[in-house]
Amino acid sequence: MNAPESFDAAVPAGKIMLVGIGPGSVEHMTARARSAIAEADVVVGYVTYIKLVADLLDGKEVVRKGMTEELDRAVSALDAARAGRKVALISSGDAGVYGMAGPTYEVLFQAGWTPEGDVAVEIVPGASALNSCAALVGAPLTHDFCAISLSDLLTPWPVIARRLDAVAMADFVVALYNPKSGRRTRQIVEAQRLFLRHRRADTPVAIVKSAYRRRQNVVFTTLAQMAEQDIGMLSTVLIGNSSTFVRDGLMVTPRGYANKYDMDEGGATRDGEKAGRSLSTGLNGWLEALQIDHAAGESVEQLAARHRLPIDYIRATLDEPLEAAAADLPEESEA
């Protein structure tokens, strides 16, 4: 990659549109993504992504780049925009999720670009792989989730391992990006090893390959058998949390309504709970119980161990007086 030259605001310039094309099929692209490509003079992207939008490229100058040439793509887009052209720099999924938005801003800032300069930048969002894959397998992301890339090409493995261990312990649903390649075969095994420290062997796992593309494939398995499956760079691995289940070919993570409502009794509120109010084990209820348990003789260390929370956090909450509950204030609706 050639380093970008310093930005010269005196030179007429154009626009860079960082376009997320979603999973790859045109019908799953946003209208803005299609119109951004239509108005572009130049389309820059990884060769595979260029193929996915080939039907939209008539009359365009097309710049194809290889797998590891992200910074070259950004420099090419900047060079074209400096020449007064409109550029669509495409990413699969969303440009801001393991996509081209970050590298492009790095190149722009290195070149002295500012948002007030002559090169305009627009990010066009698209459905990321975790959204697309989740839609194919059911509703696995209904509760808290995160995404972690297993690629150690740019991130040290100890950093990745600490993140895996932390989210496994914290009971997030997890989407693993870049889980395995021809050379990187052990990362998925190490991820499995870390997750099994905290989660049951029968935790549901879905592996989706080429979502909404020609060779789409979906496999349901378990955490214990995850690493034995056919996994590659076109795969996304969805690991459920302690509540996730698979039924009738659908992977579902409950939102938590059963904690407050009796699902077998027409949704009636459980004893001790109030509709539209925090759980009895929500923050205020938990803080009150914590004070009671501590007053009854349970030490800070014992409370921290029981709740699997840091000792200094438990101590700080005990030192802060409880606030009066705002019982008459309406709750905001749940997201």
Side-chain angles (χ1 to χ4, degrees):
M1 181 201 78
N2 294 322
E5 298 176 0
S6 296
F7 187 77
D8 184 357
V11 177
K15 181 178 184 179
I16 298 174
M17 296 169 286
L18 294 151
V19 182
I21 63 172
S25 54
V26 173
E27 61 267 28
H28 287 101
M29 292 174 60
T30 65
R32 178 55 190 144
R34 292 193 294 271
S35 66
I37 293 174
E39 71 183 68
D41 306 303
V42 182
V43 178
V44 181
Y46 171 47
V47 288
T48 298
Y49 307 156
I50 292 293
K51 291 178 182 177
L52 294 174
V53 296
D55 292 345
L56 306 177
L57 301 181
D58 286 348
K60 311 290 182 186
E61 178 184 339
V62 179
V63 179
R64 298 172 175 83
K65 294 289 184 177
M67 171 72 78
T68 59
E69 297 177 326
E70 291 86 359
L71 295 181
D72 286 325
R73 294 178 225 167
V75 170
S76 295
L78 176 56
D79 288 344
R82 279 173 164 165
R85 311 183 77 186
K86 289 186 177 180
V87 185
L89 178 50
I90 64 174
S91 295
S92 68
D94 182 270
V97 180
Y98 303 116
M100 285 302 304
T104 300
Y105 276 122
E106 290 184 61
V107 166
L108 286 167
F109 288 136
Q110 184 181 354
W113 172 88
T114 66
E116 294 76 27
D118 288 340
V119 170
V121 177
E122 177 187 358
I123 297 180
V124 181
S128 185
L130 60 84
N131 304 111
S132 303
C133 296
L136 289 172
V137 303
L141 307 180
T142 307
H143 215 316
D144 299 336
F145 64 90
C146 73
I148 296 178
S149 171
L150 295 191
S151 173
D152 56 5
L153 296 178
L154 300 173
T155 306
W157 179 254
V159 174
I160 298 171
R162 286 194 296 271
R163 292 171 180 171
L164 291 167
D165 187 63
V167 300
M169 184 275 288
D171 204 31
F172 281 95
V173 176
V174 179
L176 296 181
Y177 281 64
N178 307 311
K180 191 175 181 180
S181 70
R183 289 190 296 266
R184 296 184 302 99
T185 59
R186 184 168 169 175
Q187 282 80 352
I188 190 67
V189 176
E190 295 301 317
Q192 178 189 47
R193 191 192 316 278
L194 288 163
F195 268 80
L196 285 171
R197 295 183 63 246
H198 303 284
R199 302 202 184 175
R200 300 190 318 268
D202 63 351
T203 299
V205 172
I207 300 168
V208 183
K209 180 179 181 180
S210 299
Y212 296 101
R213 300 182 192 176
R214 185 165 56 88
R215 296 180 180 177
Q216 173 183 299
N217 187 53
V218 177
V219 172
F220 290 99
T221 185
T222 63
L223 185 57
Q225 299 176 319
M226 175 180 76
E228 303 167 13
Q229 308 304 315
D230 180 17
I231 299 174
M233 279 296 289
L234 298 179
S235 303
T236 301
V237 179
L238 300 173
I239 303 175
N241 68 12
S242 60
S243 299
T244 305
F245 62 86
V246 174
R247 184 175 302 167
D248 296 327
L250 295 170
M251 184 178 182
V252 178
T253 301
R255 180 67 176 86
Y257 291 101
N259 292 328
K260 180 176 287 189
Y261 305 102
D262 191 333
M263 309 302 283
D264 295 326
E265 296 293 333
T269 306
R270 293 186 180 279
D271 291 342
E273 305 295 344
K274 293 182 180 180
R277 295 293 185 270
S278 297
L279 281 174
S280 58
T281 53
L283 178 58
N284 287 337
W286 178 73
L287 289 174
E288 184 177 352
L290 200 68
Q291 295 279 1
I292 292 171
D293 292 341
H294 187 51
E298 199 165 352
S299 70
V300 171
E301 291 76 15
Q302 289 171 324
L303 289 167
R306 177 153 65 87
H307 294 289
R308 299 172 68 190
L309 288 167
I311 292 173
D312 58 343
Y313 173 72
I314 296 295
R315 182 175 290 113
T317 59
L318 289 170
D319 288 343
E320 186 170 337
L322 289 174
E323 296 180 0
D328 295 330
L329 295 178
E331 287 276 336
E332 295 181 0
S333 60
E334 292 284 341

